[in-house]
Amino acid sequence: MKRARFSDAQKAFILKQGSDGVAVAEICRKAGISQATYFNWKKKYD
């Protein structure tokens, strides 16, 4: 089974940045994820 690249704590930190008002495009660029991944995580964990 493939190991996850991001831990749950890392995902929570990335999503918290979005709720703090940082632009989604900037968050995704810094984290190295696509915007689709960000919104999938948001739907699943937020």
Side-chain angles (χ1 to χ4, degrees):
M1 192 167 159
K2 186 176 177 184
R3 186 182 73 84
R5 180 180 284 183
F6 294 95
S7 69
D8 288 339
Q10 289 172 315
K11 291 176 186 176
F13 176 74
I14 291 169
L15 292 172
K16 185 178 182 309
Q17 287 179 324
S19 64
D20 288 344
V22 181
V24 173
E26 187 171 331
I27 295 168
C28 294
R29 184 179 53 80
K30 286 183 179 180
I33 60 173
S34 70
Q35 289 187 13
T37 299
Y38 173 84
F39 289 113
N40 283 336
W41 287 354
K42 187 173 180 176
K43 182 171 58 174
K44 187 173 182 180
Y45 298 113
D46 240 2

